[in-house]
Amino acid sequence: MQIEMLYSKIHRATVTDANLNYVGSITIDEELLEAAKMRVGQKVEILNINNGERFSTYIILGERGKRDMCLNGAAARKVHKGDKIIVVAYASYKEKELKNYKPTVVLLDDDNNIDEIVESI
């Protein structure tokens, strides 16, 4: 049996831009992607803390060190610059893999700098 579980998340990121005139996705700083063990093209859920919106999109690579967290295309209508969001990735695990299960949680400050990386829920 496969069980879908939290793989990783970027917690309380600040939206740096919302670009309606772009093919849909979320642009995330390369360093933040590496810390969260996320990949370019990966499907993620976006949870907007400010307005309660929840939606799915995919990741595109942002420039390392710029701390970009930009929603593009149709997703740009669901956020405003300055909103706090959570970026969540899930993965399917076999039951035996869950014995050593530790999702990665990247906690950010208001400027999208990494405060802490936790390997647990």
Side-chain angles (χ1 to χ4, degrees), residues 1 6 13 16 18 22 24 29 44 50 56 69 71 78 84 90 113 121:
M1 172 172 65
L6 173 67
T16 58
Y22 191 90
D29 179 296
V44 290
N50 291 70
S56 298
M69 196 63 62
L71 278 298
K78 297 188 172 283
K84 292 291 186 186
Y90 299 98
N113 294 305
I121 295 180

Side-chain angles (χ1 to χ4, degrees), residues 34-93:
E34 289 173 358
K37 301 177 185 171
M38 293 180 184
R39 294 166 173 78
V40 172
Q42 184 174 9
K43 179 181 178 181
V44 290
E45 283 192 51
I46 310 301
L47 317 176
N48 188 325
I49 295 169
N50 291 70
N51 64 21
E53 289 279 358
R54 298 174 72 102
F55 56 94
S56 298
T57 190
Y58 62 92
I59 297 169
I60 63 172
L61 186 62
E63 187 177 329
R64 179 180 287 277
K66 283 190 69 179
R67 298 300 183 250
D68 284 337
M69 196 63 62
C70 176
L71 278 298
N72 304 298
R77 294 213 181 265
K78 297 188 172 283
V79 299
H80 294 286
K81 188 174 178 179
D83 281 359
K84 292 291 186 186
I85 61 171
I86 303 169
V87 181
V88 181
Y90 299 98
S92 293
Y93 296 88

